[in-house]
């Protein structure tokens, strides 16, 4: 397992965060379906759940997740949240059992460390996670490796027919993957990130209560 890091260091301050941001507590059994629906509706969501991943890639516990089917999502994410060069690609995450239908791989790629090809018929469907040469740096997940992420991808599949999400690191521009809740929450103020999910609590900026009601 790559999830060998610590829990968020300030997770004990969750009640203070509730005073600073609008929030809604989701029943654990409904977290994946509600997050998938928000992503399908083009919300950009930062995720802080469980232990953080050891290594250079965001693998679902300290990730920003969003809709790879939105033709402009790469530009939106770069401009509104990541604040980086327009041409830099993002990576897809898919369930292991479905990945071979969309990508030229047959093996598990748990660490987002292998380049494969997006199958020709899907390159224009998921441009936000397809490199200019048709390749992608894929991550595959199983239920046992990350149940939350696996469930969320499958819930997104029910809505879109695509078992794929855009997955990028949850961090302020130029900084490493975060491990403090307050750093992720501050991105609600400093960027146009829509939501932050901490365990089963969804947060947004104060004054955006209407957005929370959608959950």
């Amino acid at each position: 397992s790559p999830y060998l890091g610590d829990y968020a260091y300030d997770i004990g301050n969750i009640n203070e965060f509730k005073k600073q941001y609008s929030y809604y507590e989701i029943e654990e059994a409904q977290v994946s379906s509600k997050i998938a629906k928000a992503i399908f509706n083009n919300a950009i969501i930062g995720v802080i759940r469980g232990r953080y991943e050891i290594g250079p890639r965001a693998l679902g516990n300290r990730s920003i997740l969003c809709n790879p089917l939105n033709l402009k999502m790469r530009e939106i994410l770069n401009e509104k949240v990541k604040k980086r060069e327009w041409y830099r690609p993002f990576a897809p995450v898919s369930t292991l059992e479905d990945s071979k239908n969309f990508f030229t791989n047959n093996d598990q790629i748990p660490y987002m460390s292998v380049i494969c090809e997006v199958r020709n018929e899907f390159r224009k469907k998921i441009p936000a996670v397809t490199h200019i040469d048709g390749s992608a740096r894929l991550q595959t997940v199983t239920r046992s490796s990350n149940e939350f992420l696996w469930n969320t991808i499958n819930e997104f599949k029910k809505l879109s027919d695509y078992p794929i999400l855009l997955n990028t690191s949850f961090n302020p521009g130029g900084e490493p993957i975060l491990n403090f809740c307050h750093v992720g929450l501050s991105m609600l103020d400093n960027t146009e990130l829509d939501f932050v999910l901490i365990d089963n609590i969804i947060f947004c900026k104060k004054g955006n209560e209407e957005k929370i009601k959608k959950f």
Side-chain angles (χ1 to χ4, degrees):
S1 172
Y3 308 105
L4 301 176
D6 287 328
Y7 294 95
Y9 297 131
D10 56 351
I11 193 67
N13 297 334
I14 198 75
N15 288 331
E16 291 301 312
F17 302 142
K18 289 178 178 179
K19 298 175 183 177
Q20 299 171 39
Y21 296 91
S22 297
Y23 71 93
Y24 174 70
E25 296 192 38
I26 307 171
E27 292 184 19
E28 185 64 30
Q30 297 183 335
V31 171
S32 287
S33 61
K34 289 183 176 293
I35 294 302
K37 182 179 179 181
I39 292 172
F40 181 71
N41 289 319
N42 295 310
I44 302 173
I45 301 178
V47 175
I48 300 174
R49 282 177 65 91
R51 295 181 180 274
Y52 74 82
E53 40 270 63
I54 294 294
R57 309 295 182 202
L59 301 175
N61 282 8
R62 300 293 184 276
S63 288
I64 292 174
L65 302 176
C66 53
N67 188 351
L69 304 177
N70 185 324
L71 299 181
K72 296 184 178 180
M73 186 54 72
R74 178 169 58 193
E75 291 77 12
I76 291 169
L77 191 54
N78 270 327
E79 179 180 341
K80 292 186 174 183
V81 180
K82 297 294 284 188
K83 308 294 185 182
R84 66 184 200 178
E85 298 87 353
W86 64 269
Y87 56 82
R88 292 176 64 183
F90 293 103
V93 57
S94 180
T95 59
L96 174 61
E97 55 267 33
D98 283 327
S99 62
K100 61 181 178 295
N101 297 323
F102 298 88
F103 305 93
T104 58
N105 76 290
N106 293 306
D107 300 317
Q108 187 171 356
I109 309 175
Y111 304 114
M112 198 191 287
S113 57
V114 175
I115 299 294
C116 60
E117 300 292 320
V118 180
R119 296 195 183 280
N120 286 330
E121 61 267 36
F122 299 115
R123 292 181 181 182
K124 291 184 179 180
K125 298 290 187 179
I126 50 172
V129 294
T130 303
H131 299 192
I132 193 170
D133 62 356
S135 64
R137 193 182 68 223
L138 175 67
Q139 175 195 0
T140 62
V141 294
T142 63
R143 172 175 262 172
S144 61
S145 67
N146 191 318
E147 186 170 7
F148 158 74
L149 188 55
W150 187 88
N151 283 336
T152 303
I153 294 169
N154 277 297
E155 291 293 335
F156 186 79
K157 178 184 177 181
K158 293 177 184 178
L159 299 169
S160 68
D161 294 326
Y162 282 78
I164 303 164
L165 296 176
L166 187 159
N167 176 15
T168 189
S169 58
F170 193 4
N171 59 295
E175 296 186 21
I177 297 175
L178 60 85
N179 200 31
F180 286 90
C181 296
H182 78 267
V183 175
L185 290 167
S186 71
M187 290 177 65
L188 293 171
D189 302 313
N190 302 326
T191 74
E192 295 183 58
L193 184 70
D194 292 301
F195 301 105
V196 172
L197 177 70
I198 301 177
D199 292 334
N200 67 326
I201 307 172
I202 194 80
F203 290 88
C204 74
K205 188 186 299 186
K206 277 283 190 184
N208 286 358
E209 286 78 10
E210 289 301 315
K211 294 175 69 173
I212 286 288
K213 289 179 181 178
K214 294 179 181 179
F215 283 88

